[in-house]
Amino acid sequence: MKVLVASALILVGSCATLRHSEKIENLKNSITYNDEAVVQNYLNTITEEDLKVHLEEVSSDKYNGRMTGEEGHNQVCDYIRNYYKSQNIIAPESHPDYYQKVPKESLPEGLNASQNIIAYIKGSEFPDEYIYISAHSDHEGVIDGEIYNGADDNGSGTAAVFEMAEAFQKAVKDGYRPKRSIVFLHVTAEEVGLHGSRYYTNNPIFPMEDTVVNLNIDMIGRVDGRHKDNEDYIYVIGADRLSTELHFVVQEANSEFTNINLDYKFNDDNDSNRYYYRSDHYNFALKGVPVIFFFNGEHEDYTKPTDTADKINYSLLTKRAKLIFATAWYLANAPTRLKAEII
Protein backbone atom coordinates (compact mmCIF):
# COMPACT_ATOMS: atom_id res chain seq x y z
CA MET A 1 0.00 0.00 0.00
CA LYS A 2 2.80 2.43 0.87
CA VAL A 3 4.46 1.77 -2.47
CA LEU A 4 1.18 2.39 -4.32
CA VAL A 5 0.56 5.65 -2.43
CA ALA A 6 4.08 6.84 -3.13
CA SER A 7 3.73 6.02 -6.81
CA ALA A 8 0.45 7.92 -6.99
CA LEU A 9 2.00 10.94 -5.35
CA ILE A 10 4.88 10.89 -7.81
CA LEU A 11 2.41 10.71 -10.69
CA VAL A 12 0.37 13.63 -9.35
CA GLY A 13 3.55 15.62 -8.77
CA SER A 14 4.73 14.95 -12.32
CA CYS A 15 1.40 16.10 -13.76
CA ALA A 16 1.50 19.26 -11.65
CA THR A 17 5.04 19.97 -12.81
CA LEU A 18 3.99 19.44 -16.40
CA ARG A 19 1.06 21.79 -16.02
CA HIS A 20 3.33 24.41 -14.50
CA SER A 21 5.88 24.08 -17.27
CA GLU A 22 3.12 24.38 -19.85
CA LYS A 23 1.84 27.54 -18.17
CA ILE A 24 5.31 29.04 -18.25
CA GLU A 25 5.81 28.12 -21.89
CA ASN A 26 2.42 29.51 -22.86
CA LEU A 27 3.14 32.71 -20.99
CA LYS A 28 6.52 33.17 -22.67
CA ASN A 29 5.02 32.51 -26.08
CA SER A 30 2.28 35.08 -25.49
CA ILE A 31 4.78 37.92 -25.02
CA THR A 32 5.56 39.18 -28.51
CA TYR A 33 6.09 42.50 -30.24
CA ASN A 34 3.87 42.85 -33.28
CA ASP A 35 5.25 46.30 -34.08
CA GLU A 36 9.04 45.81 -33.96
CA ALA A 37 9.76 48.35 -36.70
CA VAL A 38 7.66 50.99 -34.96
CA VAL A 39 9.35 50.40 -31.61
CA GLN A 40 12.78 50.49 -33.23
CA ASN A 41 11.96 53.80 -34.86
CA TYR A 42 11.40 55.44 -31.47
CA LEU A 43 14.29 53.60 -29.84
CA ASN A 44 16.47 55.35 -32.41
CA THR A 45 15.41 58.73 -31.02
CA ILE A 46 17.15 57.94 -27.72
CA THR A 47 20.67 59.21 -28.35
CA GLU A 48 23.97 59.55 -26.56
CA GLU A 49 24.11 63.23 -27.42
CA ASP A 50 20.77 64.08 -25.83
CA LEU A 51 21.43 61.96 -22.78
CA LYS A 52 24.72 63.75 -22.28
CA VAL A 53 23.08 67.18 -22.49
CA HIS A 54 20.51 66.27 -19.85
CA LEU A 55 22.93 64.47 -17.56
CA GLU A 56 25.55 67.23 -17.64
CA GLU A 57 22.85 69.74 -16.77
CA VAL A 58 21.29 67.98 -13.79
CA SER A 59 24.70 67.01 -12.33
CA SER A 60 26.32 70.41 -12.82
CA ASP A 61 27.89 72.34 -9.95
CA LYS A 62 25.23 75.06 -10.08
CA TYR A 63 22.74 72.74 -8.36
CA ASN A 64 25.10 72.15 -5.41
CA GLY A 65 24.57 68.40 -5.26
CA ARG A 66 20.74 68.53 -5.25
CA MET A 67 20.19 67.96 -1.54
CA THR A 68 16.50 67.45 -0.75
CA GLY A 69 14.80 70.69 0.28
CA GLU A 70 17.71 72.94 -0.59
CA GLU A 71 17.75 75.61 -3.27
CA GLY A 72 19.88 73.59 -5.69
CA HIS A 73 17.42 70.71 -5.66
CA ASN A 74 14.48 73.08 -6.02
CA GLN A 75 16.16 74.57 -9.07
CA VAL A 76 16.78 71.21 -10.69
CA CYS A 77 13.14 70.28 -10.04
CA ASP A 78 12.15 73.43 -11.90
CA TYR A 79 14.43 72.37 -14.76
CA ILE A 80 12.75 68.96 -14.83
CA ARG A 81 9.19 70.29 -14.98
CA ASN A 82 10.17 72.88 -17.60
CA TYR A 83 11.48 70.03 -19.72
CA TYR A 84 8.07 68.37 -19.69
CA LYS A 85 6.41 71.67 -20.53
CA SER A 86 8.75 72.03 -23.50
CA GLN A 87 7.71 68.59 -24.74
CA ASN A 88 3.99 69.31 -24.24
CA ILE A 89 3.78 66.38 -21.82
CA ILE A 90 1.02 67.28 -19.41
CA ALA A 91 0.76 67.45 -15.64
CA PRO A 92 -2.03 65.66 -13.74
CA GLU A 93 -5.20 67.75 -13.56
CA SER A 94 -5.02 67.71 -9.77
CA HIS A 95 -1.43 68.99 -9.80
CA PRO A 96 -1.21 71.40 -12.75
CA ASP A 97 2.21 72.73 -11.72
CA TYR A 98 3.68 69.16 -11.99
CA TYR A 99 4.60 69.25 -8.29
CA GLN A 100 3.39 67.05 -5.49
CA LYS A 101 4.51 68.85 -2.36
CA VAL A 102 6.24 66.64 0.20
CA PRO A 103 5.83 68.38 3.56
CA LYS A 104 8.64 68.88 5.99
CA GLU A 105 6.85 66.62 8.48
CA SER A 106 7.23 63.67 6.06
CA LEU A 107 11.00 64.09 5.79
CA PRO A 108 13.85 63.48 8.22
CA GLU A 109 14.48 66.15 10.82
CA GLY A 110 16.47 69.10 9.54
CA LEU A 111 15.26 68.94 5.93
CA ASN A 112 13.01 71.49 4.29
CA ALA A 113 9.83 70.61 2.43
CA SER A 114 10.40 69.28 -1.07
CA GLN A 115 8.49 68.00 -4.09
CA ASN A 116 7.97 65.05 -6.35
CA ILE A 117 7.50 65.84 -10.06
CA ILE A 118 4.83 64.09 -12.11
CA ALA A 119 4.12 64.30 -15.84
CA TYR A 120 2.17 61.84 -17.92
CA ILE A 121 0.91 60.76 -21.33
CA LYS A 122 -2.73 59.69 -21.25
CA GLY A 123 -3.51 56.28 -22.70
CA SER A 124 -5.85 55.81 -25.64
CA GLU A 125 -7.70 52.59 -24.69
CA PHE A 126 -6.99 52.04 -21.00
CA PRO A 127 -6.31 55.57 -19.68
CA ASP A 128 -6.98 54.50 -16.10
CA GLU A 129 -4.18 51.92 -16.12
CA TYR A 130 -0.79 53.45 -15.33
CA ILE A 131 2.77 52.50 -16.24
CA TYR A 132 5.26 54.33 -14.00
CA ILE A 133 8.82 55.14 -15.06
CA SER A 134 10.65 56.63 -12.09
CA ALA A 135 13.99 58.06 -11.03
CA HIS A 136 15.02 60.06 -7.99
CA SER A 137 16.09 63.65 -8.54
CA ASP A 138 18.00 64.33 -5.33
CA HIS A 139 21.58 63.62 -4.28
CA GLU A 140 23.81 64.35 -1.28
CA GLY A 141 24.46 68.07 -1.56
CA VAL A 142 27.68 69.69 -0.36
CA ILE A 143 29.76 67.86 2.23
CA ASP A 144 32.88 69.42 3.79
CA GLY A 145 32.89 72.04 1.06
CA GLU A 146 32.79 69.53 -1.82
CA ILE A 147 29.90 69.25 -4.25
CA TYR A 148 28.56 65.73 -4.69
CA ASN A 149 27.34 65.96 -8.29
CA GLY A 150 25.69 62.53 -8.47
CA ALA A 151 26.12 62.12 -12.22
CA ASP A 152 25.44 58.39 -12.13
CA ASP A 153 23.43 58.63 -8.92
CA ASN A 154 21.01 59.64 -10.28
CA GLY A 155 21.66 62.02 -13.14
CA SER A 156 21.78 58.95 -15.35
CA GLY A 157 18.27 57.87 -14.36
CA THR A 158 16.87 61.38 -14.71
CA ALA A 159 18.33 61.78 -18.20
CA ALA A 160 17.03 58.35 -19.24
CA VAL A 161 13.48 59.19 -18.12
CA PHE A 162 13.66 62.43 -20.15
CA GLU A 163 14.70 60.60 -23.29
CA MET A 164 12.03 57.94 -22.90
CA ALA A 165 9.35 60.57 -22.29
CA GLU A 166 10.40 62.41 -25.43
CA ALA A 167 10.39 59.18 -27.46
CA PHE A 168 6.87 58.30 -26.29
CA GLN A 169 5.69 61.83 -27.04
CA LYS A 170 7.14 61.65 -30.56
CA ALA A 171 5.20 58.42 -31.03
CA VAL A 172 2.02 60.18 -29.90
CA LYS A 173 2.57 62.93 -32.46
CA ASP A 174 2.96 60.24 -35.13
CA GLY A 175 -0.29 58.57 -34.18
CA TYR A 176 1.03 55.89 -31.82
CA ARG A 177 -0.45 56.95 -28.50
CA PRO A 178 0.12 54.23 -25.86
CA LYS A 179 -2.91 52.19 -24.90
CA ARG A 180 -2.19 52.72 -21.20
CA SER A 181 -1.15 55.93 -19.51
CA ILE A 182 2.55 56.42 -18.85
CA VAL A 183 3.61 58.37 -15.76
CA PHE A 184 7.04 59.94 -15.53
CA LEU A 185 7.80 60.29 -11.83
CA HIS A 186 10.84 62.07 -10.39
CA VAL A 187 10.87 61.52 -6.64
CA THR A 188 12.68 63.47 -3.97
CA ALA A 189 14.44 62.34 -0.79
CA GLU A 190 15.65 58.94 -2.00
CA GLU A 191 19.12 59.44 -0.59
CA VAL A 192 17.78 60.11 2.89
CA GLY A 193 15.54 57.05 3.09
CA LEU A 194 13.13 56.69 0.12
CA HIS A 195 10.85 59.33 1.63
CA GLY A 196 9.64 60.89 -1.62
CA SER A 197 8.42 57.62 -3.08
CA ARG A 198 6.97 56.59 0.28
CA TYR A 199 5.00 59.82 0.38
CA TYR A 200 3.84 59.32 -3.19
CA THR A 201 2.66 55.73 -2.74
CA ASN A 202 0.84 56.71 0.45
CA ASN A 203 -0.70 59.75 -1.29
CA PRO A 204 -0.95 58.68 -4.92
CA ILE A 205 -2.16 61.06 -7.60
CA PHE A 206 -3.45 58.10 -9.62
CA PRO A 207 -4.98 55.18 -7.65
CA MET A 208 -2.50 52.51 -6.62
CA GLU A 209 -4.96 49.78 -7.61
CA ASP A 210 -4.77 51.12 -11.17
CA THR A 211 -0.97 51.09 -11.17
CA VAL A 212 0.25 48.34 -13.48
CA VAL A 213 3.99 48.46 -12.89
CA ASN A 214 6.89 50.60 -11.72
CA LEU A 215 10.09 50.62 -13.76
CA ASN A 216 12.60 52.35 -11.50
CA ILE A 217 15.96 53.65 -12.69
CA ASP A 218 18.74 54.40 -10.23
CA MET A 219 22.33 54.48 -11.56
CA ILE A 220 22.60 53.15 -15.12
CA GLY A 221 25.55 55.12 -16.49
CA ARG A 222 28.62 53.31 -15.17
CA VAL A 223 30.25 49.88 -14.89
CA ASP A 224 30.95 48.04 -11.63
CA GLY A 225 33.97 45.94 -10.74
CA ARG A 226 32.31 42.64 -11.66
CA HIS A 227 31.92 43.70 -15.30
CA LYS A 228 35.16 45.46 -16.18
CA ASP A 229 35.83 42.84 -18.84
CA ASN A 230 32.23 42.70 -20.11
CA GLU A 231 30.51 46.06 -19.87
CA ASP A 232 27.39 45.10 -21.81
CA TYR A 233 25.11 44.38 -18.85
CA ILE A 234 22.46 45.72 -16.49
CA TYR A 235 21.32 44.40 -13.14
CA VAL A 236 17.61 43.51 -13.16
CA ILE A 237 16.18 43.38 -9.65
CA GLY A 238 12.67 42.47 -8.56
CA ALA A 239 11.10 41.58 -11.90
CA ASP A 240 10.00 38.13 -10.73
CA ARG A 241 9.06 39.02 -7.15
CA LEU A 242 5.41 39.93 -7.83
CA SER A 243 4.86 39.02 -11.48
CA THR A 244 6.19 36.07 -13.45
CA GLU A 245 4.97 37.77 -16.60
CA LEU A 246 7.08 40.88 -15.96
CA HIS A 247 10.19 38.72 -15.68
CA PHE A 248 9.59 37.40 -19.19
CA VAL A 249 8.57 40.79 -20.62
CA VAL A 250 11.97 42.36 -19.90
CA GLN A 251 13.67 39.27 -21.31
CA GLU A 252 11.67 39.52 -24.52
CA ALA A 253 12.40 43.25 -24.80
CA ASN A 254 16.08 42.54 -24.42
CA SER A 255 16.08 39.65 -26.88
CA GLU A 256 14.19 41.66 -29.48
CA PHE A 257 16.01 44.99 -29.26
CA THR A 258 19.14 45.30 -27.10
CA ASN A 259 20.77 41.92 -26.37
CA ILE A 260 22.69 42.90 -23.28
CA ASN A 261 23.46 40.67 -20.31
CA LEU A 262 20.61 40.78 -17.81
CA ASP A 263 22.41 40.12 -14.55
CA TYR A 264 20.22 38.75 -11.75
CA LYS A 265 22.92 38.42 -9.08
CA PHE A 266 21.37 41.09 -6.84
CA ASN A 267 17.86 39.71 -7.32
CA ASP A 268 18.72 36.81 -5.02
CA ASP A 269 16.56 36.78 -1.87
CA ASN A 270 19.75 36.21 0.11
CA ASP A 271 21.70 39.10 -1.45
CA SER A 272 23.57 40.69 1.45
CA ASN A 273 23.43 44.12 -0.25
CA ARG A 274 19.61 44.06 -0.11
CA TYR A 275 19.35 46.33 -3.16
CA TYR A 276 15.73 45.29 -3.69
CA TYR A 277 14.88 47.25 -0.55
CA ARG A 278 17.11 50.25 -1.26
CA SER A 279 15.53 52.29 -4.04
CA ASP A 280 12.17 53.82 -4.78
CA HIS A 281 10.56 50.84 -6.51
CA TYR A 282 10.35 49.16 -3.10
CA ASN A 283 7.59 51.49 -1.91
CA PHE A 284 5.54 50.48 -4.96
CA ALA A 285 6.24 46.82 -4.25
CA LEU A 286 4.95 47.27 -0.70
CA LYS A 287 1.62 48.22 -2.28
CA GLY A 288 1.57 45.05 -4.38
CA VAL A 289 2.70 46.72 -7.61
CA PRO A 290 5.10 44.69 -9.81
CA VAL A 291 8.46 46.43 -10.13
CA ILE A 292 11.81 46.32 -11.84
CA PHE A 293 14.87 48.10 -10.47
CA PHE A 294 17.44 48.80 -13.21
CA PHE A 295 20.91 49.33 -11.74
CA ASN A 296 24.56 49.23 -12.79
CA GLY A 297 25.99 48.33 -9.39
CA GLU A 298 28.40 50.27 -7.21
CA HIS A 299 31.68 51.64 -8.55
CA GLU A 300 34.70 53.51 -7.21
CA ASP A 301 32.90 56.89 -7.33
CA TYR A 302 29.67 55.77 -5.69
CA THR A 303 28.54 58.33 -3.07
CA LYS A 304 31.69 60.39 -3.65
CA PRO A 305 32.26 63.89 -5.06
CA THR A 306 34.04 62.19 -7.97
CA ASP A 307 30.74 60.85 -9.42
CA THR A 308 30.88 63.32 -12.31
CA ALA A 309 29.46 63.48 -15.82
CA ASP A 310 32.80 62.98 -17.58
CA LYS A 311 32.95 59.41 -16.23
CA ILE A 312 29.61 58.28 -17.65
CA ASN A 313 29.62 55.56 -20.31
CA TYR A 314 27.14 57.24 -22.63
CA SER A 315 27.02 54.43 -25.16
CA LEU A 316 26.06 51.97 -22.45
CA LEU A 317 23.63 54.42 -20.86
CA THR A 318 21.89 54.71 -24.23
CA LYS A 319 21.54 50.98 -24.66
CA ARG A 320 20.19 50.54 -21.15
CA ALA A 321 17.67 53.34 -21.64
CA LYS A 322 16.50 51.65 -24.84
CA LEU A 323 15.94 48.39 -22.98
CA ILE A 324 13.75 50.13 -20.42
CA PHE A 325 11.85 51.99 -23.14
CA ALA A 326 11.16 48.75 -25.02
CA THR A 327 9.95 47.13 -21.81
CA ALA A 328 7.66 50.08 -21.08
CA TRP A 329 6.35 50.09 -24.66
CA TYR A 330 5.24 46.48 -24.39
CA LEU A 331 3.60 46.98 -21.00
CA ALA A 332 1.80 50.09 -22.20
CA ASN A 333 0.52 48.47 -25.40
CA ALA A 334 -0.06 44.82 -24.50
CA PRO A 335 -3.59 43.57 -25.23
CA THR A 336 -4.14 42.71 -21.56
CA ARG A 337 -2.91 44.28 -18.33
CA LEU A 338 0.21 42.80 -16.74
CA LYS A 339 -0.77 40.16 -14.20
CA ALA A 340 0.52 40.65 -10.67
CA GLU A 341 0.86 36.94 -9.98
CA ILE A 342 3.56 34.32 -9.58
CA ILE A 343 3.12 31.16 -11.61
Side-chain angles (χ1 to χ4, degrees):
M1 176 62 76
K2 291 181 180 178
V3 173
L4 289 174
V5 170
S7 298
L9 289 173
I10 291 171
L11 181 59
V12 170
S14 298
C15 292
T17 301
L18 180 62
R19 287 197 295 271
H20 179 261
S21 64
E22 286 178 342
K23 286 181 180 179
I24 292 294
E25 194 61 28
N26 290 339
L27 176 59
K28 291 168 69 174
N29 290 337
S30 72
I31 300 168
T32 59
Y33 288 82
N34 299 317
D35 51 0
E36 295 95 331
V38 174
V39 180
Q40 189 62 60
N41 184 45
Y42 297 106
L43 284 175
N44 291 341
T45 70
I46 299 173
T47 67
E48 292 183 36
E49 294 76 18
D50 288 346
L51 284 164
K52 185 175 183 181
V53 168
H54 298 314
L55 196 152
E56 287 182 340
E57 173 65 27
V58 299
S59 64
S60 63
D61 283 354
K62 68 182 179 182
Y63 297 122
N64 284 320
R66 310 188 306 278
M67 171 58 77
T68 295
E70 294 188 359
E71 184 59 26
H73 183 247
N74 292 336
Q75 290 174 352
V76 88
C77 287
D78 193 51
Y79 172 80
I80 291 170
R81 72 170 167 181
N82 282 335
Y83 173 77
Y84 288 108
K85 291 178 182 179
S86 75
Q87 297 298 316
N88 294 314
I89 299 174
I90 62 173
E93 289 184 10
S94 60
H95 293 68
D97 65 351
Y98 295 84
Y99 280 1
Q100 180 192 46
K101 299 297 184 182
V102 180
K104 185 175 183 177
E105 294 74 24
S106 297
L107 297 169
E109 186 176 353
L111 293 180
N112 298 319
S114 188
Q115 56 278 323
N116 296 321
I117 307 157
I118 304 96
Y120 85 114
I121 294 172
K122 191 171 184 177
S124 60
E125 294 185 26
F126 311 107
D128 295 327
E129 295 180 7
Y130 300 93
I131 311 296
Y132 279 74
I133 304 175
S134 64
H136 73 86
S137 58
D138 63 304
H139 194 52
E140 300 194 10
V142 179
I143 302 174
D144 295 330
E146 291 191 277
I147 297 173
Y148 283 59
N149 299 92
D152 189 32
D153 186 10
N154 189 29
S156 63
T158 303
V161 176
F162 278 2
E163 277 292 272
M164 284 183 270
E166 184 173 349
F168 275 114
Q169 185 69 343
K170 286 177 179 176
V172 169
K173 292 177 181 177
D174 292 341
Y176 297 102
R177 182 174 290 275
K179 293 179 180 179
R180 294 174 182 82
S181 297
I182 303 176
V183 183
F184 307 101
L185 175 65
H186 299 260
V187 292
T188 188
E190 189 273 350
E191 299 286 5
V192 292
L194 315 185
H195 292 282
S197 56
R198 183 176 300 114
Y199 186 83
Y200 183 84
T201 54
N202 286 333
N203 303 275
I205 292 174
F206 304 111
M208 291 306 298
E209 60 267 25
D210 297 328
T211 300
V212 176
V213 69
N214 171 227
L215 306 179
N216 183 50
I217 311 167
D218 192 351
M219 298 173 55
I220 61 165
R222 295 284 297 272
V223 175
D224 71 356
R226 294 184 65 244
H227 295 89
K228 290 296 185 184
D229 296 325
N230 182 13
E231 298 182 349
D232 213 20
Y233 79 100
I234 186 72
Y235 290 110
V236 176
I237 302 172
D240 63 349
R241 300 288 183 106
L242 296 172
S243 172
T244 303
E245 184 179 3
L246 183 58
H247 173 69
F248 292 123
V249 168
V250 69
Q251 290 189 347
E252 179 65 16
N254 184 52
S255 175
E256 193 69 49
F257 297 106
T258 49
N259 291 303
I260 64 178
N261 174 29
L262 304 183
D263 193 325
Y264 295 97
K265 175 178 172 59
F266 296 136
N267 191 49
D268 191 319
D269 287 338
N270 297 316
D271 170 38
S272 61
N273 296 285
R274 293 177 58 81
Y275 289 122
Y276 177 68
Y277 308 93
R278 289 172 53 184
S279 192
D280 295 298
H281 60 280
Y282 183 60
N283 284 316
F284 282 86
L286 286 174
K287 301 294 186 181
V289 176
V291 300
I292 303 179
F293 173 23
F294 295 95
F295 178 53
N296 55 216
E298 297 180 17
H299 46 77
E300 60 270 21
D301 299 304
Y302 174 61
T303 64
K304 294 180 181 178
T306 49
D307 179 10
T308 50
D310 57 299
K311 296 179 181 177
I312 295 295
N313 184 327
Y314 287 99
S315 174
L316 190 55
L317 171 58
T318 304
K319 183 175 283 191
R320 290 164 171 170
K322 288 181 176 181
L323 168 65
I324 303 165
F325 177 86
T327 303
W329 181 285
Y330 179 88
L331 294 165
N333 291 290
T336 58
R337 174 176 173 161
L338 179 77
K339 291 181 175 61
E341 65 178 13
I342 300 299
I343 296 177

